[in-house]
Amino acid sequence: MSRKSLFVNALTFARVPLIFLWAVFAVWQELDAGSSGASGPSVLLAVLASLGMLLSGLTDLWDGKLARQWGVVSALGKMADPLMDKVFYLVAFPVLVWHAAHSGAGELQTLSLLALTVLYLLRDTWVTFLRSVGAMYGADVAAMWLGKVRTALSFPGAGWIYAYLCFRQFEPFRAANVWTNTVWPLSVIAVEAFLGVLTFVSLVTYTRSYMPYLKRALERKENL
């Protein structure tokens, strides 16, 4: 394996430790903010957490781009990349739900995040099942363009949600104005709604595409 191939694979697998790094610092910062009293939340922990989220998202942007540019696209990379994306969702969205509930972001915000998290996990589990069925009959199980768009937008979407949950606790963002009280929280709800609709449409699209293979599997089962 060439050095370029090793570097690209390292970028792909780095998504997992980086998102766990974000989770640790995000939870630590929120717990610190809840117990620090007059000292206020820790800027350092917030910055470290944000950096972990940012770098984790950038690995998804650069690993595929570099693999194509350097001509080192591999079967391992094609399998590992969506797996690393799923680990990102499994870690990021449940932590965001906890963050919203713990920080007192409000019932609407917490329920919105919870619904989005459940939808993400259901969609990815179902699509994994569909791909497994399709692979039985030689289907092309590569990610569809809508799935790629959803993945690409999920990283900045999760980052924007975290930025709101985290930085709204800092003094400059506590001022009562239209931005902090209305525009910012509504923008987060809008991002969550958009990601939810995109995820649902992606689920329906994959189901329709793999329906012939599902029917073949069902007919085969009935004839056994």
Side-chain angles (χ1 to χ4, degrees):
M1 184 177 291
S2 67
R3 291 183 178 179
K4 290 182 178 180
S5 182
L6 283 172
F7 180 77
V8 169
N9 286 327
L11 266 183
T12 300
F13 285 100
R15 200 166 309 145
V16 171
L18 285 171
I19 197 57
F20 273 104
L21 182 71
W22 164 80
V24 169
F25 283 122
V27 171
W28 187 1
Q29 186 275 333
E30 175 56 32
L31 292 175
D32 181 72
S35 61
S36 58
S39 62
S42 170
V43 176
L44 176 61
L45 292 176
V47 170
L48 289 174
S50 301
L51 185 61
M53 172 75 82
L54 175 63
L55 292 176
S56 184
L58 288 177
T59 63
D60 180 68
L61 175 66
W62 286 103
D63 60 354
K65 183 176 181 179
L66 289 176
R68 291 186 294 271
Q69 181 178 327
W70 291 343
V72 292
V73 177
S74 65
L76 175 62
K78 289 181 179 179
M79 295 174 63
D81 190 58
L83 177 60
M84 298 304 103
D85 293 339
K86 288 177 174 57
V87 174
F88 179 94
Y89 304 146
L90 283 168
V91 175
F93 286 106
V95 171
L96 287 173
V97 173
W98 174 86
H99 206 304
H102 191 272
S103 65
E107 188 174 282
L108 177 61
Q109 179 63 66
T110 304
L111 289 176
S112 175
L113 263 175
L114 179 60
L116 181 64
T117 300
V118 171
L119 182 59
Y120 258 74
L121 300 185
L122 286 176
R123 181 269 182 196
D124 282 1
T125 302
W126 177 243
V127 169
T128 298
F129 167 72
L130 291 176
R131 283 174 169 160
S132 299
V133 173
M136 293 167 52
Y137 300 100
D140 181 6
V141 296
M144 297 180 182
W145 71 269
L146 186 59
K148 293 179 179 179
V149 170
R150 168 184 170 269
T151 298
L153 295 178
S154 293
F155 291 101
W160 182 248
I161 295 168
Y162 173 66
Y164 168 72
L165 294 175
C166 174
F167 290 99
R168 71 186 185 87
Q169 304 176 65
F170 290 88
E171 192 61 40
F173 301 105
R174 289 181 179 178
N177 53 55
V178 175
W179 167 256
T180 57
N181 291 345
T182 305
V183 177
W184 202 7
L186 286 180
S187 73
V188 173
I189 295 293
V191 166
E192 292 165 1
F194 176 76
L195 290 178
V197 170
L198 195 60
T199 298
F200 180 76
V201 173
S202 174
L203 185 152
V204 172
T205 302
Y206 270 93
T207 302
R208 292 180 61 182
S209 178
Y210 281 87
M211 187 56 67
Y213 304 108
L214 279 174
K215 290 180 178 178
R216 288 178 63 180
L218 289 171
E219 290 170 358
R220 180 182 177 183
K221 182 178 179 180
E222 291 170 357
N223 292 330
L224 288 178

